[in-house]
Amino acid sequence: MASFVDRVVLHVSGGTGGHGCVSVHREKFKPLGGPDGGKGGDGGSVTIRVSDQTTTLLDFHHAPHRHAGNGQPGMGDWRDGKIGESLVLDVPDGTVVKDKEGNVLADLVGIGTEYIAAQGGQGGLGNAALSSQKRKAPGFALMGIEGDERDVVLELKSIADIALVGFPSAGKSSLIAAMSAARPKIADYPFTTLIPNLGVVQAGDVRFTMADVPGLIEGASEGKGLGHNFLRHVERCAAIVHVLDCAALEVDRDPISDLAIIERELDNYSVDMSFAGADGDVVPLNARPRLIALNKVDSPDGRDMAGFVRGDLESRGYRVFEVSATSHEGLRQLGFAMAEIVSAARQSVIDQPAKVAPVILRPRAVNEASFTIHREEKNLEPLFRVRGDKPERWVQQCDFQNEEAIGYLADRLAKIGVETSLFKAGATPGDTVVIGGEDGIVFDWEPTMMGGAEHLAAPRGTDLRLLDLGDRPTRQQKRQEQQDRRDAKAAARAELESERKAGIWTESTDRHTAKSHEIKADMAADESGENTTPKDL
């Protein structure tokens, strides 16, 4: 069973906004007191917040689906619905929020830092808020909008100033236990440390944090061993201390070769862009200050090995310290060297503030449309897609079971110029119009509705412009009717032409008179047929 988790995929969704209420005020001696439907409550949001009471992402590993509360619907008597309960997720300090593609959304550093991972949906307006001088008693309300739903990746990166790296059983946990109050598990077998350990070290007036990264092996940057999973905890460190085992029992190992392997793995590891220095640039791990701790010099073999490799390491530019976690030899000098590097790093942050990109505000022009229209082709038929925050939000708020709500939506779209823009884009009556993305609402465009539904006298919840909506002919029916009319005109012309060729030149009045006599004769025959009884037949 996992006890430490530093990376999880979290599925979060904001609450759905409550629907608006359709209600008419009822009171004694006031049978029609006007609309009094309240607004629906907004849905709750999912917020990720840094807490000092949390050290792992284990809770999200067991329960990765989190949903905020939904808003309650509005009620009569001008009562608004209750706002949905927001959900606050506590995470450790140093948690990075990413999307599924790996883009950094937020770097949460500092107690109380927050990030809204999923915004709650907006509640719908009731008919009381929709009433106006022209539409005094609306028979509809706006629907609530669904909250945001997304998948985010949480990665924990330890907030430490110094990182201890090295092979398994090199003595990193023993050093932390000897230099701080931390008490990690220590044993004489490889991979004893399975989770990063943190310890606070006091060196003079400087206090800093030291992290013990689980043992690295060759190929760690490619996912071998445990090191690759925990290398992210090194990214925030100001300096790296290589802990080299001078008393290793393996005959094919020595401090020089161990250092070369670890350096190579650090070079191959790509530092995340979520951490940047004071100058706004990401510093590679091997480009940061490094110290060498030759550990286990308390044993004769360890001291001999440390003396043998010390000169070679110093010739390469490293600061080398011979230490022993058992006898505490050299730990004081190592601690002050760490404090010197940490102080310099903190001072550089003060002297060179982090680069922050200026916020550029670009207000929308007065004559700029709040939507766009793109012409597409689908099944060899034209399709016009309308995209924009307002049209898409209005479509979600519309109750398509209510004719008055549909008419109100049509008026809103026409008011911002959607109808005019469709004409300019080349749309013709009957073309397919989609408002939204792939899951948008599909319409058969019929620009025959006149605006101003508030001037039409109709029962609440209905719209005279839509009463015959179900009886409207389709495009195919319209084309067939037009073709039938053309065929009838052609047949009439052919009949007149045949009469002319036959020498029938009766006057129009005589022809109409003869036609009327013929119709009367047919009607008389029909009446006589209707009055005929079965006996007569």
Side-chain angles (χ1 to χ4, degrees):
M1 180 178 178
S3 60
F4 178 82
V5 176
D6 61 350
R7 187 183 187 277
V8 294
V9 178
L10 193 61
H11 312 275
V12 293
S13 56
T16 303
H19 301 325
C21 176
V22 180
S23 175
V24 176
H25 185 64
R26 302 294 182 182
E27 190 176 345
K28 190 175 183 180
F29 305 118
K30 292 183 180 180
L32 296 177
D36 65 348
K39 171 183 177 298
D42 295 336
S45 302
V46 180
T47 303
I48 301 176
R49 179 186 300 170
V50 177
S51 173
D52 57 353
Q53 302 298 319
T54 306
T55 58
T56 179
L57 303 176
L58 183 61
D59 292 342
F60 308 119
H61 174 73
H62 295 302
H65 296 269
R66 301 300 176 98
H67 180 75
N70 297 328
Q72 299 298 319
M75 296 167 284
D77 200 14
W78 300 281
R79 291 176 296 174
D80 294 340
K82 184 179 178 181
I83 298 177
E85 184 177 359
S86 296
L87 182 62
V88 178
L89 306 178
D90 292 334
V91 297
D93 193 6
T95 301
V96 178
V97 185
K98 301 180 179 180
D99 58 14
K100 297 187 67 175
E101 288 73 25
N103 302 316
V104 178
L105 303 177
D107 190 1
L108 305 180
V109 178
I111 304 301
T113 306
E114 295 182 350
Y115 172 72
I116 299 178
Q119 185 71 44
Q122 181 182 356
L125 297 178
N127 63 342
L130 295 174
S131 62
S132 62
Q133 291 295 329
K134 297 180 180 180
R135 194 190 299 268
K136 295 184 179 296
F140 69 97
L142 299 184
M143 311 290 288
I145 300 177
E146 295 183 357
D148 296 337
E149 184 175 357
R150 63 195 305 190
D151 294 341
V152 296
V153 180
L154 302 183
E155 289 186 356
L156 175 59
K157 299 182 180 181
S158 300
I159 304 297
D161 301 299
I162 301 294
L164 302 181
V165 297
F167 266 70
S169 300
K172 300 181 298 296
S173 299
S174 300
L175 282 180
I176 282 192
M179 300 180 66
S180 68
R183 291 296 175 263
K185 181 180 180 181
I186 300 174
D188 57 353
Y189 56 86
F191 296 110
T192 306
T193 303
L194 299 178
I195 63 175
N197 297 310
L198 295 179
V200 179
V201 181
Q202 183 75 35
D205 297 334
V206 181
R207 175 176 294 182
F208 58 91
T209 306
M210 187 165 51
D212 164 25
V213 180
L216 298 175
I217 62 174
E218 187 173 5
S221 59
E222 300 175 358
K224 296 182 180 179
L226 300 176
H228 179 267
N229 297 327
F230 297 106
L231 276 174
R232 67 174 65 96
H233 296 274
V234 187
E235 296 182 1
R236 300 185 187 273
C237 299
I240 296 176
V241 176
H242 289 278
V243 181
L244 304 180
D245 188 358
C246 292
L249 299 178
E250 293 84 352
V251 295
D252 57 343
R253 282 184 52 194
D254 62 84
I256 300 297
S257 60
D258 290 354
L259 176 63
I261 293 174
I262 300 301
E263 291 274 292
R264 185 166 55 251
E265 297 304 323
L266 295 180
D267 281 334
N268 294 335
Y269 180 77
S270 178
V271 180
D272 199 339
M273 292 298 295
S274 61
F275 176 78
D279 56 355
D281 298 328
V282 176
V283 181
L285 296 182
N286 274 344
R288 303 178 188 182
R290 289 164 293 173
L291 303 176
I292 301 295
L294 300 176
N295 195 19
K296 303 182 182 180
V297 297
D298 55 292
S299 65
D301 294 339
R303 187 172 298 276
D304 293 341
M305 178 61 73
F308 180 74
V309 301
R310 182 185 180 97
D312 189 4
L313 295 175
E314 289 180 341
S315 64
R316 301 182 184 182
Y318 293 106
R319 296 180 61 184
V320 182
F321 298 87
E322 297 182 10
V323 298
S324 171
T326 303
S327 63
H328 291 202
E329 179 183 347
L331 296 185
R332 178 178 176 83
Q333 292 80 358
L334 178 61
F336 277 99
M338 295 178 183
E340 180 182 347
I341 297 176
V342 172
S343 300
R346 293 174 180 175
Q347 187 63 36
S348 65
V349 175
I350 298 175
D351 297 339
Q352 300 178 4
K355 295 180 181 179
V356 179
V359 179
I360 300 177
L361 300 179
R362 301 183 185 274
R364 186 172 61 89
V366 176
N367 58 348
E368 182 181 354
S370 59
F371 60 91
T372 58
I373 297 179
H374 300 282
R375 180 187 176 96
E376 303 176 5
E377 296 289 337
K378 186 175 182 180
N379 298 330
L380 301 180
E381 293 289 337
L383 182 146
F384 296 87
R385 189 177 301 276
V386 181
R387 298 304 303 267
D389 180 66
K390 284 185 177 180
E392 294 181 28
R393 184 175 72 250
W394 292 346
V395 166
Q396 296 181 32
Q397 293 176 331
C398 180
D399 181 9
F400 287 96
Q401 304 299 324
N402 188 301
E403 294 181 355
E404 190 176 357
I406 299 176
Y408 179 71
L409 172 63
D411 294 340
R412 300 177 83 178
L413 295 176
K415 186 175 181 179
I416 64 174
V418 174
E419 296 276 351
T420 304
S421 299
L422 285 173
F423 275 118
K424 293 181 179 179
T428 58
D431 286 342
T432 302
V433 177
V434 180
I435 300 180
E438 296 299 329
D439 55 347
I441 304 298
V442 182
F443 300 90
D444 286 335
W445 188 47
E446 291 291 343
T448 57
M449 297 178 59
M450 64 177 181
E454 61 273 6
H455 299 293
L456 303 177
R460 290 190 310 110
T462 60
D463 193 316
L464 293 179
R465 300 171 295 177
L466 302 175
L467 290 181
D468 60 340
L469 184 61
D471 300 331
R472 287 187 177 182
T474 61
R475 292 181 60 189
Q476 188 66 25
Q477 292 174 342
K478 289 182 179 180
R479 292 175 179 176
Q480 186 63 38
E481 290 176 359
Q482 186 178 12
Q483 186 63 35
D484 292 343
R485 288 194 296 269
R486 292 177 180 176
D487 295 341
K489 290 181 181 180
R493 293 191 186 98
E495 182 180 359
L496 292 175
E497 183 65 19
S498 63
E499 290 180 357
R500 185 184 67 80
K501 291 181 179 181
I504 302 176
W505 293 94
T506 57
E507 296 293 334
S508 60
T509 55
D510 296 339
R511 188 164 61 250
H512 290 319
T513 303
K515 188 67 175 178
S516 62
H517 291 326
E518 182 180 354
I519 294 174
K520 290 181 180 179
D522 293 339
M523 293 177 61
D526 293 339
E527 292 178 357
S528 63
E530 292 176 358
N531 295 332
T532 304
T533 61
K535 182 178 179 180
D536 297 334
L537 296 175

